[in-house]
Amino acid sequence: MSMADLSLDELCVNTIRTLSIDAVQKANSGHPGLPLGAAPMAYVLWTHFLKHNPSNPHWFDRDRFVLSAGHGSMLLYSLLHLTGYDLTLEQIKDFRQWGSMTPGHPERGVTPGVEVTTGPLGQGFANGVGMAIAESYLSDRYNRPDFKVIDHFIYGIVSDGDLMEGIASEAASLAGHLGLGKLIYLYDNNHITLSAETRLAFSENCAQRFEAYGWHVQSVEDGNDLDAIYQAIHRAREESAKPSLILVKTHIGFGSPHKQDTFEAHGSPLGEEEVKLTKQNLGWPQEPPFYIPQETLQHFRQAVEAGKIAEAEWEAVFDAYEKKYPQPAQELYELMGNELPDNWDKNIPVFPVDAKGVSTRVAGGKVLNAIAGKLPSIIGGSADLDPSTFTTLIGLGSFEDPKKNSGKVQGAVEGGWGYSGRNIAFGIREHAMGAVCNGLSAHGAIIPFSATFLTFSDYMRPSIRLAALMKLQVVFVFTHDSIALGEDGPTHQSVEHVAALRAIPDLNVIRPCDANETAAAWKIAIESRDRPTVLVLTRQNVPTLDRDKFSSADNLRKGGYILADAPNGKPDLILMATGSEVSLIVAARDKLSEKGIKARAVSMPCLEVFDAQSPEYRDSVLLPSVTRRLSVEAGISQGWHKYVGDKGAIIAIDHFGASAPGPVVMKEFGFTVENVCKQALALMGPGT
């Protein structure tokens, strides 16, 4: 076979293949198998169906494409370069190298046209579900019978490994239940993983499995049959009542004479000799490497002009929509631009002084509802814990499949609003919940939130980490934040979780001390457009502090602040705490003053934000001259040593909790005013 024997379609497919294997070989690192096998389906999708504008990757009504099988990143990079995105051939040649725009796995914000960071398998699958929820919500809220200003599909390529991951099962179940008809996934069904054939560990009938989830399922028997792939995608687009999975039987490493259909093609370069033989099999010239025939480049680059035309047509429709429906158009315009409307925080309550107080989970629910009334971008839900997390958006309906016409159902959340409802019933699917929220945020025009107990953050950690890596605005609400939750015992009592979350870079972890700090925390979460926020909230009541006596709760914006100072600002020791334990250091400060000991009480709700302050500010709060320091937090001690220093002390719990009423557990493990005073006096030395 020679190039002269190849049709234009075959030339285009083989261009994708050879660009990919050349880049992997030059880097001596990467995954050539998926691009070789999946190039035909990707080619059909990108040249016949995908609505996008390479000149403006952020055009809002574009179709979204997710390469969930992120290890096959060169497939995506080849497509982006060929269709005219700002990704040069030099960047393709620089695959996996320092400072390049073509990292080993796709990274949002690094490469134009990459929607989400993928690689950890199953994450992209669930991200796409979130994007489809966003499209459904926005189209239901803003479209009118004569104007479809939101009308796009979410496509993805998923792998055997994606479908094995539990997160994909959770997300697929949710997507099928919700009837997300704009979601279409192509399954690269090659029966090979990194280390073996799939039959060693994976033998279920995926078609029947997804049919049971409520998906529209088709199979393409030959992954090189471009017409069959085209027809399958066309039928999937016509099916509006269900998400679609197209099982495409492919050959991993297609064209490689010795590695096709073997695990050796998955995660290692083919080798120089095998690259030569593969090109020979494909009818491709050996030299030069990274060869792109002019006719294929011209064909792919039609996407540039087509994209400009599609966006211009959409803008014309939006202009007409704006004239006829100015109010929703203005609202949608602000959402698409990530703008916060004026006075969005006007209705946030100021909580009165109350010695008995209120739990921060209850306060958080009141604040969330006050904000949501002003911000239509806020949608979210909990992992079947609405009565406990207090995150129900009251009166804003349930996000449901309107085709099922379920109406009101028994439960904590009002039902019957269809895709315009703003309460998502995630079900008991924490991992998918986190990744779906990432997809909601990545889609744009949405500020998503999720909620569950803090101990279950372990189920969500990979998704939270990727939210931070992608710099996505997601609000992760975690209630029942410590051993103080009581009787449910150590399985539900968080001990190590706050420290574990603090270990994730670019994530704000906020543990407010009372209702007004909770309000300030929600403000930060809404204003933090380029990072996720974790809100760590109590089950038990905590006193609402008198802010005429203590510093303003808005000082939470600095991460840590002087809540109450010693006379003349010259303390003998510094007490610091977060969350419910702040009330302990406040009371201990008063008792210590009776003994003539001058203490400064410092609230430290967000260590990440505090660490980002200037050295001068940090030193003004934690005076370097005061080495007697005591931190109090009902979690492990990890992370507190740098704040208390070598001469300080920590009241923490470096072991699991116990089942008993919350106040009893707290007392038995030393979280009392008396123990705070005892430890403080020990720091002061003998005779105090």
Side-chain angles (χ1 to χ4, degrees), residues 40-277:
M41 71 174 89
Y43 167 70
V44 172
L45 175 61
W46 276 64
T47 58
H48 291 283
F49 294 101
L50 194 70
K51 181 178 68 171
H52 63 127
N53 183 3
S55 301
N56 180 15
H58 303 293
W59 169 36
F60 194 79
D61 201 41
R62 69 191 181 278
D63 291 338
R64 272 66 169 175
F65 174 77
V66 176
L67 181 64
S68 189
H71 55 274
S73 57
M74 264 313 307
L75 173 72
L76 178 53
Y77 299 149
S78 296
L79 289 162
L80 292 170
H81 169 70
L82 291 167
T83 55
Y85 284 79
D86 186 17
L87 190 68
T88 66
L89 188 59
E90 290 306 310
Q91 290 291 341
I92 298 294
K93 295 177 181 179
D94 218 16
F95 178 54
R96 287 184 165 227
Q97 303 309 302
W98 176 263
S100 78
M101 297 167 63
T102 49
H105 292 83
E107 293 185 34
R108 177 183 172 88
V110 173
T111 315
V114 170
E115 300 283 358
V116 287
T117 298
T118 56
L121 292 172
Q123 287 284 336
F125 188 111
N127 293 161
V129 174
M131 291 176 175
I133 291 174
E135 197 277 344
S136 297
Y137 168 70
L138 294 170
S139 62
D140 205 57
R141 183 179 179 93
Y142 294 108
N143 287 353
R144 298 295 182 267
D146 46 344
F147 288 100
K148 284 190 174 183
V149 290
I150 303 295
D151 185 17
H152 50 267
F153 286 85
I154 289 79
Y155 297 103
I157 291 179
V158 303
S159 65
D160 293 296
D162 284 301
L163 298 195
M164 289 187 211
E165 290 283 1
I167 185 174
S169 299
E170 293 180 22
S173 174
L174 179 63
H177 169 73
L178 293 174
L180 300 174
K182 291 290 190 72
L183 181 65
I184 299 173
Y185 283 159
L186 295 158
Y187 168 25
D188 180 28
N189 187 15
N190 61 43
H191 304 293
I192 298 290
T193 61
L194 184 146
S195 65
E197 294 181 55
T198 54
R199 62 189 177 90
L200 190 67
F202 187 57
S203 55
E204 65 206 41
N205 187 315
C206 288
Q208 291 181 357
R209 170 183 157 198
F210 274 77
E211 286 172 354
Y213 285 143
W215 286 55
H216 175 242
V217 178
Q218 303 175 77
S219 293
V220 174
E221 294 302 313
D222 179 1
N224 290 310
D225 187 339
L226 303 184
D227 184 64
I229 294 168
Y230 177 91
Q231 295 299 332
I233 297 174
H234 177 73
R235 286 190 292 268
R237 285 166 55 94
E238 293 295 305
E239 174 53 75
S240 62
K242 298 177 180 181
S244 288
L245 182 72
I246 303 171
L247 296 88
V248 185
K249 290 187 178 179
T250 61
H251 296 276
I252 192 170
F254 179 83
S256 170
H258 300 110
K259 296 188 177 182
Q260 177 178 315
D261 297 324
T262 73
F263 70 87
E264 292 177 329
H266 175 92
S268 300
L270 296 178
E272 291 185 6
E273 185 60 30
E274 194 71 9
V275 167
K276 291 179 182 178
L277 294 174

Side-chain angles (χ1 to χ4, degrees), residues 378-400:
I378 292 182
I379 66 173
S382 80
D384 195 48
L385 290 169
D386 302 275
S388 295
T389 59
F390 289 86
T391 47
T392 300
L393 300 180
I394 299 170
L396 296 181
S398 178
F399 184 91
E400 300 178 44

Side-chain angles (χ1 to χ4, degrees), residues 336-352:
M336 292 188 299
N338 286 328
E339 299 176 20
L340 294 174
D342 294 338
N343 299 316
W344 66 270
D345 56 352
K346 181 180 180 181
N347 295 335
I348 293 178
V350 175
F351 294 89

Side-chain angles (χ1 to χ4, degrees), residues 23-38:
V24 171
Q25 190 59 44
K26 184 174 184 293
N28 197 29
S29 173
H31 299 72
L34 183 144
L36 284 169

Side-chain angles (χ1 to χ4, degrees), residues 608-629:
E608 297 80 20
V609 172
F610 181 73
D611 288 346
Q613 304 304 310
S614 68
E616 292 77 15
Y617 175 76
R618 297 198 305 271
D619 286 348
S620 73
V621 175
L622 301 179
L623 296 168
S625 59
V626 180
T627 58
R628 299 185 183 97
R629 301 178 182 184

